[in-house]
Amino acid sequence: MTLELGVLALLTAAEGKEGELADFLKIGRAVVEDEPGTRVWYAFRVDDSTFGIFDAFDDEESRRAHLTGKIPAALAEVGPDLLASAPDIREVDVLAVKHGA
C-alpha cells in the first residue's frame, strides 16, 4: 500500500533545552514501535534549536490513532519545559515516495 498520509511536526527547543529535546525525540522511536499503523517515523534536527518529526500512514484511521496516542501526550507533558513555543503540527499529503533497494 502506498503511504499517502503524513504528519509533519516542527519543534523549537527552549534555550538550553536542545539536548533534552533531542533525547526526548530519540526515545520516541520506541513508543511508535507499538503503533502498527505508523509505517514511517523520522525524528530530525533542522538547526541548533529546531527539530522535527515526520510520520506516514496507510490510512486516516492510523493517522488519527497516532495523533491521539502516546507521542502527542508525552509532548504535551514535556512541552512547557522543553519547547520555546507551541509545536507546529500539520497533517500533510505525501505526493511521492522513493523506497531504497
Side-chain angles (χ1 to χ4, degrees), residues 38-86:
T38 302
R39 296 275 311 280
V40 174
W41 188 87
Y42 294 96
F44 56 90
R45 181 179 227 147
V46 177
D47 58 34
D48 289 344
S49 62
T50 307
F51 297 80
I53 300 170
F54 173 76
D55 337 78
F57 312 89
D58 286 325
D59 54 47
E60 189 61 39
E61 182 180 340
S62 296
R63 179 160 62 178
R64 289 285 131 239
H66 177 74
L67 287 171
T68 59
K70 292 180 183 178
I71 291 282
L75 189 56
E77 186 176 318
V78 301
D81 183 48
L82 297 184
L83 300 179
S85 58

Side-chain angles (χ1 to χ4, degrees), residues 19-40:
E20 289 178 58
L21 182 55
D23 290 342
F24 171 80
L25 292 174
K26 290 174 187 175
I27 292 167
R29 182 183 180 277
V31 174
V32 296
E33 289 292 333
D34 293 332
E35 296 181 2
T38 302
R39 296 275 311 280
V40 174

